[in-house]
Amino acid sequence: MSSYKVYFISGSPPCWRVMLAMAVKGLDYTPVRFDNARKEQKNEAFLKINPQGTVPVLEGDGIAVRNSLAILAYLDEAHPEPPLFGSSAAETGAIWQQIMEFEGHYPDAIQSITRPIFRGKAQEQADAIREGVEGVRPCLEALEKTMASSDYLCGGAVSAADIVIYPNIMQLMRGAQKPDAETLELRLTPLGEHYPAVAAWAARIAALPRYDDAYPPHWKQAAE
């Protein structure tokens, strides 16, 4: 049995990052899923593990690491192969640059689009959603340019940059595919029509070994 536990909320991009990293590293773990609607991550037992009551958390080998980027860094040190942060100083710098530029601009912007859609308020907040999409579009255009000449964001192998950014882009696409969102004509879907290189990159991520183990379980259930 695995010595690791991953505490997560289904569909949370930071949680998905950790589970993708575990898949890429080929690491076994016990998933512990919380229901965000019930605020299960605030239960007394979990607060002893993480007093902040947030996920993801990686627990095992006498440690409990919170924050998705901290967890990825821990995993790369504890399990060096395959490397997530490159094999040279130049690669490490390029990967962290991609991550930090994305983190500084886009996760909150993407949530400002998807949150009203998932809450059934797409029509009510249509103008704000369209404005948000235009704010995120530079990210998609930059990804399209990069992926037109590279299999992954920082070269020929999957890295932490891919693992960090991919779940957020998939959250955006899931929101954009909702019927209420499709009527807004956001020009995001089909992804392959608007951003073919990004779609090809997403397909490569989805083809990684054990990808299905990381895929948000409630998304699986909705597709069945």
Side-chain angles (χ1 to χ4, degrees):
M1 181 174 290
S2 169
S3 61
Y4 285 124
K5 290 182 180 179
V6 174
Y7 298 87
F8 77 105
I9 290 170
S10 180
S12 157
C15 295
W16 197 358
R17 295 170 180 180
V18 172
M19 297 167 91
L20 276 174
M22 299 293 279
V24 169
K25 294 283 189 182
L27 298 172
D28 293 325
Y29 61 95
T30 300
V32 182
R33 179 180 174 182
F34 290 141
D35 184 342
N36 188 44
R38 298 179 180 178
K39 300 299 180 185
E40 289 179 346
Q41 69 273 27
K42 305 297 183 181
N43 74 74
E44 183 177 352
F46 183 63
L47 289 175
K48 292 179 181 178
I49 298 169
N50 177 14
Q52 293 186 0
T54 58
V55 290
V57 167
L58 177 74
E59 183 186 29
D61 292 337
I63 58 89
V65 185
R66 59 179 180 263
N67 184 286
S68 61
L69 297 184
I71 294 170
L72 264 57
Y74 169 84
L75 289 173
D76 219 36
E77 184 68 22
H79 307 278
E81 295 298 329
L84 298 180
F85 291 95
S87 302
S88 69
E91 290 176 356
T92 300
I95 291 165
W96 274 112
Q97 180 172 282
Q98 286 271 7
I99 290 171
M100 299 314 295
E101 288 179 350
F102 180 83
E103 286 289 279
H105 293 91
Y106 296 114
D108 288 345
I110 289 172
Q111 280 212 356
S112 74
I113 298 164
T114 59
R115 188 180 294 114
I117 294 172
F118 293 149
R119 292 178 178 176
K121 297 183 178 181
Q123 301 303 315
E124 180 182 333
Q125 299 184 32
D127 289 344
I129 290 170
R130 291 191 184 100
E131 182 178 348
V133 168
E134 293 313 306
V136 169
R137 205 172 294 283
C139 173
L140 294 169
E141 291 170 352
L143 287 173
E144 181 71 12
K145 183 177 179 180
T146 298
M147 302 321 304
S149 59
S150 180
D151 282 348
Y152 297 100
L153 283 171
C154 293
V158 66
S159 75
D162 303 281
I163 288 170
V164 165
I165 295 173
Y166 171 85
N168 294 85
I169 300 302
M170 291 301 100
Q171 182 190 58
L172 177 62
M173 292 303 115
R174 183 171 176 82
Q177 290 168 357
K178 294 291 184 180
D180 284 352
E182 288 184 339
T183 66
L184 302 182
E185 298 182 356
L186 301 177
R187 294 183 294 115
L188 294 174
T189 57
L191 183 59
E193 179 179 317
H194 296 283
Y195 301 99
V198 176
W201 165 72
R204 284 190 288 274
I205 299 292
L208 292 171
R210 300 179 64 174
Y211 172 86
D212 286 348
D213 294 342
Y215 195 78
H218 82 283
W219 291 16
K220 287 181 187 177
Q221 293 166 359
E224 290 174 353

